[in-house]
Amino acid sequence: MDKEWPEDYINNYLAPFNRTQQIRPTAVRGIQRESRQIDIKGNFDIPVLVARGLLEGSLVADSDIERYKSMCPKLMIKEYAASGHGLKGQDKEKFYNDIVEFINNID
């Protein structure tokens, strides 16, 4: 997480939407301070679900999807037209149903 993320998240999400009871600003700053970028490589021969919003703010790019396809032969991709990063808005029910479907179909 970049150095600007905590204050942006706190001031533009936590405080305006009264979410400081769910996550304290101190915890947000700690997440940024302790986060590290890692490069995931390998072949994962297990079922993998990638859920991504298609609106601005999604953190999963097309290039990420292509990389995941090359790494995960059992990849399931679910996309949500009414969501960006957060999938619990208009797409919440579809998202939850897709998780249940994914779990129920694991061999």
Side-chain angles (χ1 to χ4, degrees):
M1 307 304 255
D2 63 45
K3 291 182 191 261
E4 292 78 32
W5 174 76
E7 297 312 311
D8 178 61
Y9 186 74
I10 292 164
N11 296 323
N12 295 312
Y13 178 70
L14 288 185
F17 293 99
N18 237 1
R19 303 274 180 154
T20 54
Q21 295 294 344
Q22 286 84 9
I23 183 169
R24 295 176 301 157
T26 303
V28 174
R29 291 182 185 102
I31 290 168
Q32 186 281 326
R33 184 179 55 255
E34 295 182 19
S35 68
R36 301 290 178 266
Q37 182 74 26
I38 62 168
D39 191 17
I40 299 173
K41 296 179 182 178
N43 184 15
F44 299 93
D45 193 27
I46 59 172
V48 173
L49 172 64
V50 172
R52 74 168 180 162
L54 297 176
L55 297 180
E56 183 178 345
S58 176
L59 299 180
V60 182
D62 290 343
S63 59
D64 296 322
I65 294 292
E66 292 307 313
R67 196 169 118 243
Y68 300 151
K69 284 179 183 177
S70 71
M71 293 169 40
C72 308
K74 297 178 182 176
L75 182 68
M76 176 187 278
I77 301 164
K78 294 293 183 172
E79 298 177 320
Y80 305 91
S83 297
H85 173 62
L87 301 176
K88 295 182 182 175
Q90 290 181 342
D91 289 317
K92 178 180 178 177
E93 187 174 339
K94 185 176 186 302
F95 174 52
Y96 288 169
N97 288 336
D98 288 340
I99 292 170
V100 170
E101 175 191 354
F102 175 75
I103 291 168
N104 287 337
N105 290 313
I106 294 176
D107 297 331

